[in-house]
Amino acid sequence: MNQNESPADRAFRAEVRGWLEANLSGEFAHARGLGGPGREHEAFEERLAWERHMAAAGWTCVGWPEEHGGRGATVRQQVIFNEEYALAGAPARVGHIGENLLGPTIIAFGTDEQRARFLPPIVAVEELWCQGYSEPNAGSDLANVQTRAALEGDHWRIDGQKVWTSNALESDWCFVVARTEPGSSRHHGLSYLLVPMKRDGVDIRPIVQLTGTSEFNEVFFDGARTDAGNIVGAPGEGWKIAMATLGFERGVATLGQQVGFRREFEGVLDLARRTGAIDDPLLRDRLTRAYMGLEVMRLNAVRTMAGVASGAPGPESSISKLVWGTWHRELGELAMDVLGAAGMVADGEPYDLNDWQRLFLFSRSDTIYAGSNEIQRNIIAERVLGLPREARG
């Protein structure tokens, strides 16, 4: 892609920057910098209010087509929006999963009725979503899903367990991959269901993480119900739909994720300057490499998005997951090395961690969740490079 901005893009950048400067003040001045990995609990209601304020001004779902409530922003403009959002120090988003994962999936594969029902509340940040993929025995091996769903009259009955479900406690809905064909195995017989979270039959149990917070949760479905029409695609097409969602997560959604990454990098760089760690040539080299990696991620996300004509990214999107997961884990390690011995001591009793300690601890999970590095390397080798499939027992 041409990296030189057009007059229209420069005007768009000025519009985004001007709006953020004008609105991250007064009532929302204190919202700058809130949230992030290991700090997902931070000022949730304030961040929700901010995002609804954005929605009222037309600044959510900017890349969606205008007919679905978005701005129809180009790939370049989506990059610009996320860059300016990061530069402004705006708070971590709360509607990320609905806006960047479920919404594009509904646009690409949903019915007109589903688009009319589910897209407007995502744009307005009136309904929040979580992702029901992983299970105790089906993490990176998603095809081993055992959660079951059966059609009973005018509704689906769901029974099973999901785990590592981010933000489940705050979510109104969950998109669930469930086995709907008895006796099926692997990626056959799965369906993609939209399930309300605040109903009987849904039990959410927070998981306390190393950071002391509980972004992740266990979710138990015990006779939970959702309307028969709340299935995306046909029964049995769940694997195809789920893979498309993962493609969106590793493509377009990466731009929103990089808002926090860039802010974190700038923070580590400032910390190195203040502590004098930047004078260490080895740490300075690692800081330089971290900056280069951030730019590589941005350009790869742009490339991935620009190459998608159908709206459903292919296996190439696994490159994004492998790159950002590894980069973010290394940034957490770099932050601790910049802190030095001080990074080993908590800020207070009983377990009061600073932002850099939370970043380090949380980022240990980045190369595991949403598909482990090992799985992503296999996908890239087999489906992108065309290498022989790994021997399977």
Side-chain angles (χ1 to χ4, degrees), residues 123-136:
V123 174
V125 202
E126 292 174 351
E127 291 180 344
L128 301 180
W129 286 80
C130 59
Q131 182 178 31
Y133 277 19
S134 293
E135 298 181 6

Side-chain angles (χ1 to χ4, degrees), residues 193-215:
L193 304 176
L194 310 178
V195 182
M197 295 291 282
K198 303 184 187 304
R199 287 191 184 176
D200 292 342
V202 180
D203 181 20
I204 304 170
R205 303 179 189 176
I207 299 172
V208 179
Q209 300 155 207
L210 287 173
T211 56
T213 57
S214 300
E215 179 199 22

Side-chain angles (χ1 to χ4, degrees), residues 23 44 65 89 101 110-112 114 125 134 148 167 193-194 224 279 284 294 299 313 335 352 357 363 391:
N23 287 270
F44 180 84
L101 278 68
T111 64
D112 289 340
Q114 288 170 344
V125 202
S134 293
R148 306 176 308 282
N167 303 320
L193 304 176
L194 310 178
D279 295 328
R284 188 165 60 248
L294 193 61
L299 294 173
D352 186 11
Q357 292 166 332
S363 63

